[in-house]
Amino acid sequence: MISWFIDQGPVIQALLATLFTWGVTALGASMVFFFKRINRKVLDGMLGFAAGVMIAASFWSLLNPAIEMARQTSDHPWIPAVIGFLGGGAFLWLADQLLPHLHLGFPTSEAEGVPTTWRRSVLLVMAITLHNIPEGLAVGVAFGAVAASAPIDGVPAATLAGAVALAIGIGIQNFPEGAAVSVPLRREGFSRRKSFLYGQASGIVEPIAGVIGAAAVMMMQPILPYALSFAAGAMIYVVVEELIPESQLQKNTDIATIGAMLGFAVMMTLDVALG
């Protein structure tokens, strides 16, 4: 099975990897069949954990390889990293302004984006869907980078093991995300089945973004450092704008912070050990 995966092209690898991350989102959403509510302290710890994973992935799996790749063609390797990083944040900011969505724990009156009559459940799913776009993109770009990047001093700047580590890390933090959507919907009166369907639906965008990311860097290799940095910037935007504020909403700051530290440590371990 492993050798078969290695033999596939980067686009297929990205598709399979993001189908895995979507599957873990669905697995998390399935918790609604067992629980009607999540203890707020547990939820804040999980949100912090997800934030820690994304911060670590942004540097170890995306920004650092982008800078190393840029060293091959530029005397200023920080330029692609800065431009791509800020571009990723700008993209998420624009999507935030345009697409109606509602963050967990906030009343419907505080929905963001253009005004809409969408139901609260749809707005909640849209918020997590926006969150999942940079995650899928990051995984896709990481797999595309393996084939598109040239070795530096005989050492690959991007490795298949590193891309797999990123997919595993994103998958791990998708589990609490799926539960964080489906269980609150159940508490608001939705059936278990409908709550599950909404929860897993938030992850559908990841395979789409993953395939686009992998295909883009394969077709336009010079943009690779920018693409890696773009994905990192988009993920950091999500962490600072969404995950950290939501994890601190109920003042469980220590629990959320410990969760973030653990998430960072897990992702860093995966990336260094496998990448």
Side-chain angles (χ1 to χ4, degrees):
M1 183 67 179
I2 294 176
S3 60
W4 176 84
F5 180 81
I6 293 173
D7 290 337
Q8 303 306 304
V11 173
I12 299 299
Q13 290 173 340
L15 175 62
L16 294 172
T18 47
L19 285 174
F20 161 75
T21 61
W22 176 20
V24 180
T25 302
L27 189 62
S30 72
M31 292 297 101
V32 75
F33 294 109
F34 307 98
F35 304 101
K36 192 171 182 177
R37 63 177 62 246
I38 299 178
N39 181 280
R40 185 66 208 197
K41 291 183 178 180
V42 173
L43 177 60
D44 289 343
M46 291 193 300
L47 290 172
F49 182 89
V53 168
M54 292 179 71
I55 293 171
S58 295
F59 176 73
W60 295 102
S61 299
L62 299 169
L63 278 175
N64 192 49
I67 293 170
E68 292 302 319
M69 291 171 192
R71 289 187 193 278
Q72 301 176 84
T73 57
S74 173
D75 293 329
H76 305 287
W78 53 271
I79 292 179
V82 170
I83 293 175
F85 184 81
L86 294 179
F91 170 78
L92 257 291
W93 176 83
L94 184 62
D96 231 20
Q97 306 308 305
L98 297 178
L99 295 178
H101 61 284
L102 177 67
H103 296 303
L104 294 169
F106 289 87
T108 307
S109 60
E110 295 189 27
E112 299 177 11
V114 297
T116 182
T117 57
W118 290 355
R119 297 176 62 180
R120 176 180 174 84
S121 57
V122 177
L123 292 171
L124 286 169
V125 173
M126 279 301 298
I128 301 298
T129 300
L130 277 173
H131 177 154
N132 285 341
I133 290 174
E135 294 177 7
L137 184 64
V139 173
V141 170
F143 277 97
V146 176
S149 61
I152 301 172
D153 296 329
V155 179
T159 66
L160 182 60
V164 170
L166 176 61
I168 293 173
I170 295 297
I172 290 172
Q173 63 98 41
N174 273 0
F175 183 87
E177 285 181 10
V181 176
S182 64
V183 175
L185 291 179
R186 173 60 177 159
R187 192 171 64 246
E188 292 185 14
F190 286 79
S191 68
R192 285 188 172 89
R193 179 175 175 275
K194 183 171 285 189
S195 298
F196 168 75
L197 290 176
Y198 274 123
Q200 63 82 33
S202 64
I204 292 176
V205 70
E206 289 196 8
I208 299 171
V211 168
I212 292 173
V217 297
M218 288 297 295
M219 291 187 292
M220 299 175 286
Q221 294 186 21
I223 72 166
L224 184 51
Y226 295 91
L228 287 165
S229 303
F230 182 94
M235 291 215 295
I236 291 297
Y237 185 94
V238 168
V239 170
V240 178
E241 194 269 342
E242 178 182 340
L243 290 179
I244 290 177
E246 287 176 16
S247 70
Q248 307 282 333
L249 199 60
Q250 298 299 318
K251 310 300 182 184
N252 297 315
T253 55
D254 288 344
I255 293 173
T257 301
I258 292 170
M261 296 290 288
L262 290 173
F264 188 98
V266 167
M267 186 63 232
M268 180 174 61
T269 301
L270 281 172
D271 195 274
V272 175
L274 296 180

